[in-house]
Amino acid sequence: MMQPQSTDTRSKALVDPFGRTITYLRLSVTDRCDLRCTYCMPERMKFLPRADLLTLEELERLVRAFMRRGVKKLRLTGGEPLLRKDVSALISRLGKDVYSGALEEMTVTTNGAQLAKYASALADAGVKRINVSLDTLDPKKFEQVTRRAVLHDVLTGIETAQRYGISIKLNVVALKDLNEKEIPSIILWAHQRGIDVSLIEIMPMGEIDANRLEQYLPLSSVKDRLEKDWTLTPLAYRTGGPSRYVKVEETSGRIGFITPLTQNFCDGCNRVRLTCTGRLYMCLGQDDAFDFRTLMRNGASDNDIDDAILAAISHKPKGHDFTITRECSSPSVSRQMSVTGG
Ligand code: SAM
Ligand code: SF4
């Protein structure tokens, strides 16, 4: 565990050892989830004890400490962020910073199952865009991949959020056999509704009940296939995340490619991730973390927290070492994606 260093640089932005300025915080507000996506977690997932979770006040205090250090973008994620009981209060409190301009943007990544209930609160808090994860439009396959039969709720959630003026991006994990053939029709469905799509390569994080090698579908092959039917024009457009975008000329919609395996994107990383227990991960694909919960519960001042943030950022690694091959299909890190969120 890293120790905070006393510094004299309180006004400085967060710049890591590789010259990358950190402006984006992803906050996992819970590790719990109402789905059990087969590539994300086992059916009998062991969730963290509730007592370990930071309170709303502690989460907010940490977010504000990062904002003082130049963080401008915040994404609420999980687990399923909309499952946390007091999430509306957090959204509304942080929404004030969106309205004041202290935060440029607050976004959410959700599986959409609870979205219809929360769309209005999100819109009221100034959330302008969200990511909804949806890997298939086929109810049977949806149940196969998420182990829950709630596709209808997700689709209703998407419609409701759009009605409240929230722009949606669909996160689609490319899955061999499961949605390999369906990806073009998911893209068409989305583009017809004004929804961009981010295709994601599976990352080897945490133990699951399946073999990731059997699920892994490289996006290089998906792209080759899409190019047989469509003209894909590379775009300079970025949303602050790792997606590299193309425009589909035939639909005028965008597709983002998130390619941790086939094309490493760590050079431009501007992000760090805080878990619901106050652990700050400087990299999604590495284990090094700083424990802010202990620091805060030992009576840390705001300056102590500032110093600890600086110290943590000075340990941000160059990048992840994800690989999925026949020789190496075991997890690169032991925690599930649901601990730090996407
Ligand atoms: N539950 C919310 C959801 O599904 O949108 C937020 C958390 S989820 C961990 C965030 C994103 O990570 C989702 O788009 C999900 O598909 C993706 N994901 C989960 N496990 C993954 C893995 N092992 N590799 C790649 N993406 C993963
Ligand atoms: Fe839950 Fe999201 Fe993981 Fe699916 S990907 S199990 S919805 S946290």
Side-chain angles (χ1 to χ4, degrees):
M1 186 66 55
M2 281 172 283
Q3 294 303 312
Q5 297 160 2
S6 188
T7 63
D8 190 21
T9 49
R10 251 175 261 296
S11 59
K12 277 200 184 152
L14 296 173
V15 181
D16 80 359
F18 303 94
R20 299 170 296 192
T21 304
I22 308 307
T23 53
Y24 190 170
L25 178 68
R26 294 201 175 178
L27 176 64
S28 173
V29 298
T30 176
D31 68 322
R32 279 156 214 276
C33 194
D34 43 357
L35 307 188
R36 293 287 185 279
C37 302
T38 53
Y39 52 81
C40 179
M41 56 175 76
E43 172 65 74
R44 290 171 179 276
M45 177 73 179
K46 273 204 196 87
F47 294 111
L48 298 163
R50 279 186 203 278
D52 287 359
L53 264 55
L54 296 189
T55 63
L56 210 64
E57 289 70 24
E58 287 170 326
L59 287 174
E60 204 181 332
R61 185 176 180 206
L62 283 176
V63 171
R64 293 195 191 290
F66 277 92
M67 285 167 56
R68 284 197 296 276
R69 282 284 176 193
V71 162
K72 291 277 179 201
K73 286 182 183 232
L74 176 68
R75 178 175 293 278
L76 304 184
T77 177
E80 174 46 43
L82 301 183
L83 272 195
R84 183 161 169 148
K85 262 210 222 94
D86 46 11
V87 75
S88 292
L90 183 67
I91 291 168
S92 126
R93 273 145 79 160
L94 293 170
K96 294 200 178 90
D97 296 293
V98 179
Y99 283 110
S100 76
L103 268 180
E104 266 169 26
E105 186 175 51
M106 176 165 64
T107 56
V108 178
T109 303
T110 172
N111 62 32
Q114 311 291 326
L115 184 54
K117 204 161 73 191
Y118 286 98
S120 143
L122 291 171
D124 284 350
V127 173
K128 295 201 173 50
R129 59 184 192 99
I130 59 175
N131 288 17
V132 180
S133 306
L134 181 58
D135 304 321
T136 174
L137 293 165
D138 175 320
K140 280 209 188 95
K141 286 188 176 174
F142 183 93
E143 188 173 352
Q144 198 183 325
V145 71
T146 67
R147 300 187 178 107
R148 302 292 184 268
V150 294
L151 175 62
H152 178 74
D153 297 343
V154 177
L155 298 180
T156 308
I158 291 175
E159 269 173 44
T160 313
Q162 285 195 302
R163 247 186 287 123
Y164 279 98
I166 299 174
S167 134
I168 306 230
K169 185 163 73 170
L170 223 55
N171 277 5
V172 180
V173 175
L175 297 162
K176 188 154 67 176
D177 301 331
L178 194 285
N179 63 8
E180 197 168 354
K181 293 205 178 90
E182 197 195 348
I183 286 176
S185 49
I186 299 173
I187 294 170
L188 263 184
W189 178 91
H191 286 181
Q192 281 162 359
R193 287 161 179 76
I195 297 174
D196 287 341
V197 174
S198 265
L199 300 175
I200 306 174
E201 270 171 357
I202 266 196
M203 292 170 243
M205 299 182 65
E207 292 294 345
I208 52 172
D209 296 330
N211 179 349
R212 284 213 174 81
L213 185 63
E214 283 165 17
Q215 302 177 320
Y216 172 54
L217 176 61
L219 285 185
S220 44
S221 75
V222 175
K223 196 170 179 205
D224 286 349
R225 201 162 160 165
L226 295 177
E227 278 176 326
K228 291 204 169 105
D229 294 323
W230 290 334
T231 308
L232 307 183
T233 309
L235 297 173
Y237 172 78
R238 301 296 301 269
T239 55
S243 259
R244 300 284 187 274
Y245 286 90
V246 298
K247 179 180 172 195
V248 181
E249 296 299 339
E250 289 77 1
T251 64
S252 297
R254 284 185 288 239
I255 310 176
F257 292 86
I258 302 183
T259 52
L261 281 298
T262 56
Q263 202 180 8
N264 184 300
F265 46 61
C266 301
D267 280 355
C269 185
N270 57 355
R271 297 173 287 287
V272 287
R273 294 156 199 275
L274 188 62
T275 71
C276 56
T277 58
R279 289 176 73 76
L280 183 75
Y281 284 90
M282 278 65 74
C283 176
L284 182 63
Q286 303 288 354
D287 283 321
D288 201 15
F290 184 87
D291 174 11
F292 280 90
R293 185 185 57 188
T294 305
L295 186 73
M296 281 195 296
R297 291 186 182 174
N298 283 340
S301 68
D302 284 353
N303 284 346
D304 295 335
I305 293 176
D306 271 10
D307 289 345
I309 291 175
L310 267 191
I313 298 299
S314 75
H315 286 81
K316 184 166 162 69
K318 194 159 191 283
H320 64 72
D321 305 307
F322 290 140
T323 43
I324 302 180
T325 58
R326 205 159 291 286
E327 295 72 40
C328 179
S329 61
S330 54
S332 299
V333 289
S334 58
R335 65 182 189 279
Q336 265 82 12
M337 182 81 152
S338 55
V339 174
T340 40

